Amino acid sequence: MKKNTQQCNQIVENEKHYYSQAGKLPYFPLAIKSGQGAIIKDQDDNSYIDFLSSAAMLNTGISHPKIVEVITEQAKDFVHYIFPYIYHEPSVQLAKKLTEITPGNFDKKVIFGLSGSDANDGMIKFARAYTGKSKIISYIGSYHGSTFGAISLSAISLNMKRKIGPLLPDIHHINYPNCYRCRFNNTCDTCSLECLNELEDAFKYYLPTDEVAAIVIEPIAGDVGMVVPPKKYMEKLYSLCKENNILFVVDEIQQGFGRTGKWFGIDHFDIEPDIMVLGKSIASGLPMSALVGRKEIMESLGAPAHTFTGAGNPMACKASLATIEIIKDEDLISKANTHGDYIREEFKKMQEKYNIIGDVRGLGLSIGVELITDTKEKNSVAASKICYRAWEKGVLLTFISQNVLRIQPPLIISKEEIDSALEMIEESIVEFLNGEIPDEVLETSKGW
Ligand SMILES: Cc1ncc(COP(=O)(O)O)c(C=O)c1O
C-alpha cells in the first residue's frame, strides 16, 4: 500500500522537534492542507473521507460556506474586543438562542468560554457555589478536558494524573453503565440496574449526599467507547439527584448540536439537566464553549469568577448562530438519524461476517464499533491496524477506548461518501484478518 506522504512526514518530524508531545494522540501522519464538507486534503494532495469531524467539532463539515461567510464579514467589523468589559450583539443573540434550543422549561442563563475543558471547570465552580457542597461525581473512562478541573473530572488515562498533582479534591468516579460489558452479566430483561448499587452504596456508607454538589454524565459516553446508557438508568440517576438535592449535569461537548439525531444527547432521555456543558461543534470549529444552566445557579458566582479575555469572540458567536441555522435549514438532525441508522445497519451486516466485531452501538452519527478477540477481550491491535489501513486507503477513522472504532462523520456527509468510506473500512477489516497489515504500524497508530 504505497502512497506519497513525503511532505506530511516532514511536517510530523518537524513538529516532534518543536512541539510538546504531551498534546498529541497520533493515529497516522496526516497533515491537513485544506478541506470541504466531508473531504480532507493533505499536504501531499491525498484525499480522505472524514469519519471524525475533528473529534465531533465540525458537525456542519469543514469550512461550511455560511460559516466562512459570517466569520469573514464579522472580521471586517472587528475581530475581537475584551468581552468582559464591553458588550456586543452577537453574544446576546447567541446566549438567548442557547437558552431556547436547550432542554428545560425554566429560566436559564449562559456563560461563554474557549474550550470544553474550561467550561467543565466553570461548571464545577457554579455547582459548588450554588449548592454550597464540594463533592462531584463523574465516571471512570470519561474525558472532560485538560484544565485542572476537567482533568480531575476525567478518568481515562494515568498520563493525565501523573506528576501534576494535587488535583481538585472531592471528585469521585463510578463505573458507566455498559450493557455490552455488563459487570453483573445481565441482559436487558434481567437488568435491575445493579450498576447503580455502586452509587447507592457510596451514598449509604461513605459519600454523604449533603456534601455532593453534582453528578456529571455524558449522555453517550464518548471516550468510554461511545456507550449509550439504558434510559431507565438515566431516569433513576436523575431521580437520585432530585431526591438528594444534587445537581444533574450533562457534558454535551461531544454529543451536542444534532450529532445524536436530536439537538442534544440528553433529549433522548427526556431529562432537563440543571447545567449543560457545551463546546466543540457549538461554533463549527472556532474555539468556543458555553455553560447553560438554571438562572439561579448561573447567578451564584460574582465576577471575575469565570472570565476570559478571549471569551464571547464575535466571530465565534456569529459562527455559532450560523451553525444553529445550518442545522435547521439543512435538516441535519434528520440526516444524523437516517445516515446513522444506515451506517449501523451496514456495520451489523459486517458483524455477521466477521467475529472480530463484537458490538455496534450509538445514536445518530455517534457510533461505536467494538472490536474484540475470540474471548471478548478488547482487540486494540485490530483497532490500530484497521484505522491505519483505512487512512492509507482514504478514510479518516480513529478509535477510542483502545478498541472501539469511532464513527462520527460530519452531519452533512453524503450517502455516496458514506458508502465509499464503509467499503474501505470493510476492506481494511478483511486485510487485517488476512494478516496483511504489518506490526510496524502499531508504532504510529497509538491513539488514546
Ligand atoms: C465529552 C468531552 N468533554 C470535554 C472535552 C474537552 O473539550 P476541549 O478539548 O474543547 O477542551 C471533550 C474533548 O474531547 C469531550 O469529548
Side-chain angles (χ1 to χ4, degrees):
M1 182 109 336
K2 267 271 161 276
K3 73 196 281 183
N4 178 15
T5 54
Q6 212 182 346
Q7 294 203 42
C8 287
N9 288 340
Q10 192 57 58
I11 290 169
V12 172
E13 279 317 303
N14 290 347
E15 198 208 70
K16 278 188 190 148
H17 196 73
Y18 294 111
Y19 191 76
S20 166
Q21 297 300 295
K24 299 298 283 190
L25 295 157
Y27 289 94
F28 23 68
L30 196 168
I32 184 167
K33 182 168 90 180
S34 62
Q36 197 63 58
I39 302 294
I40 291 170
K41 262 208 166 134
D42 74 11
Q43 285 288 353
D44 295 290
D45 278 335
N46 301 301
S47 291
Y48 304 88
I49 298 170
D50 184 11
F51 257 29
L52 180 63
S53 307
S54 187
M57 195 178 189
L58 292 171
N59 287 358
T60 60
I62 305 163
S63 298
H64 190 292
K66 191 158 184 181
I67 300 294
V68 175
E69 183 191 318
V70 295
I71 296 173
T72 314
E73 283 309 306
Q74 178 58 46
K76 286 182 200 156
D77 287 341
F78 68 104
V79 168
H80 188 63
Y81 204 88
I82 181 167
F83 179 62
Y85 299 173
I86 55 95
Y87 304 83
H88 61 69
E89 197 165 17
S91 67
V92 184
Q93 287 172 340
L94 179 61
K96 179 168 181 287
K97 190 58 89 183
L98 291 175
T99 64
E100 289 164 2
I101 63 168
T102 47
N105 194 15
F106 39 74
D107 288 341
K108 297 174 212 157
K109 275 195 171 181
V110 173
I111 197 161
F112 296 124
L114 296 156
S115 71
S117 305
D118 70 45
N120 271 318
D121 278 35
M123 175 275 292
I124 296 171
K125 296 180 211 169
F126 282 103
R128 286 182 170 175
Y130 177 70
T131 60
K133 307 194 256 181
S134 62
K135 294 184 172 32
I136 311 271
I137 293 167
S138 174
Y139 283 85
I140 295 169
S142 64
Y143 180 74
H144 293 284
S146 277
T147 47
F148 258 85
I151 281 189
S152 307
L153 279 183
S154 303
I156 188 174
S157 163
L158 290 178
N159 273 356
M160 291 180 72
K161 310 274 179 178
R162 279 194 180 110
K163 302 182 191 171
I164 61 165
L167 297 173
L168 282 197
D170 275 355
I171 313 268
H172 299 262
H173 295 91
I174 58 173
N175 284 289
Y176 201 88
N178 184 344
C179 297
Y180 179 64
R181 293 188 178 276
C182 176
R183 293 159 65 243
F184 307 94
N185 289 324
N186 280 326
T187 61
C188 289
D189 295 335
T190 59
C191 167
S192 307
L193 293 180
E194 285 81 352
C195 46
L196 261 176
N197 293 350
E198 187 186 359
L199 182 62
E200 288 173 309
D201 283 348
F203 287 166
K204 220 183 281 173
Y205 298 114
Y206 65 90
L207 210 55
T209 51
D210 56 5
E211 293 181 13
V212 179
I215 295 182
V216 186
I217 188 164
E218 267 191 282
I220 297 182
D223 290 288
V224 175
M226 226 58 89
V227 176
V228 185
K231 189 159 193 244
K232 61 182 179 181
Y233 177 94
M234 293 298 261
E235 287 165 352
K236 188 151 178 214
L237 185 71
Y238 183 74
S239 305
L240 275 174
C241 284
K242 292 298 116 183
E243 283 157 20
N244 293 293
N245 288 321
I246 295 169
L247 300 181
F248 186 94
V249 176
V250 277
D251 179 337
E252 289 274 357
I253 290 163
Q254 189 181 130
Q255 308 301 339
F257 288 90
R259 172 145 299 279
T260 66
K262 291 195 186 265
W263 269 107
F264 295 98
I266 198 66
D267 292 331
H268 290 274
F269 303 95
D270 302 319
I271 284 174
E272 298 181 342
D274 299 302
I275 305 178
M276 295 181 73
V277 193
L278 310 180
K280 290 206 194 248
S281 270
I282 187 172
S284 286
L286 268 72
M288 170 167 235
S289 63
L291 290 173
V292 183
R294 286 180 184 271
K295 186 172 175 227
E296 57 277 19
I297 299 174
M298 301 308 288
E299 286 178 344
S300 63
L301 283 170
H306 196 63
T307 306
F308 306 97
T309 308
N313 175 281
M315 293 187 296
C317 291
K318 286 260 177 89
S320 182
L321 287 162
T323 301
I324 295 167
E325 270 173 39
I326 294 165
I327 292 173
K328 285 185 184 159
D329 294 349
E330 300 185 17
D331 212 8
L332 295 187
I333 292 182
S334 333
K335 280 195 183 140
N337 280 315
T338 16
H339 287 333
D341 288 347
Y342 176 70
I343 294 176
R344 267 187 300 279
E345 268 317 299
E346 291 302 302
F347 273 112
K348 284 195 172 143
K349 285 186 207 158
M350 291 186 219
Q351 188 179 17
E352 283 167 20
K353 292 190 261 178
Y354 314 115
N355 290 342
I356 196 176
I357 299 183
D359 194 29
V360 178
R361 56 183 175 245
L363 293 170
L365 281 173
S366 252
I367 298 170
V369 177
E370 176 149 0
L371 304 179
I372 54 167
T373 63
D374 293 344
T375 51
K376 208 182 162 182
E377 300 299 313
K378 291 183 167 208
N379 199 335
S380 55
V381 170
S384 300
K385 288 189 171 183
I386 289 166
C387 287
Y388 194 91
R389 181 50 56 91
W391 163 75
E392 288 178 306
K393 287 176 184 290
V395 190
L396 203 173
L397 175 72
T398 59
F399 58 93
I400 38 180
S401 189
Q402 299 111 59
N403 68 325
V404 180
L405 301 182
R406 173 182 196 167
I407 314 290
Q408 288 188 317
L411 314 186
I412 48 78
I413 194 168
S414 70
K415 168 87 169 32
E416 293 69 33
E417 288 161 340
I418 290 172
D419 281 334
S420 311
L422 289 175
E423 199 181 316
M424 289 187 262
I425 293 171
E426 182 161 7
E427 283 169 12
S428 304
I429 292 173
V430 172
E431 288 166 27
F432 169 75
L433 293 172
N434 290 341
E436 292 169 27
I437 310 177
D439 286 347
E440 69 197 47
V441 311
L442 300 174
E443 294 296 313
T444 308
S445 179
K446 293 196 181 122
W448 284 82

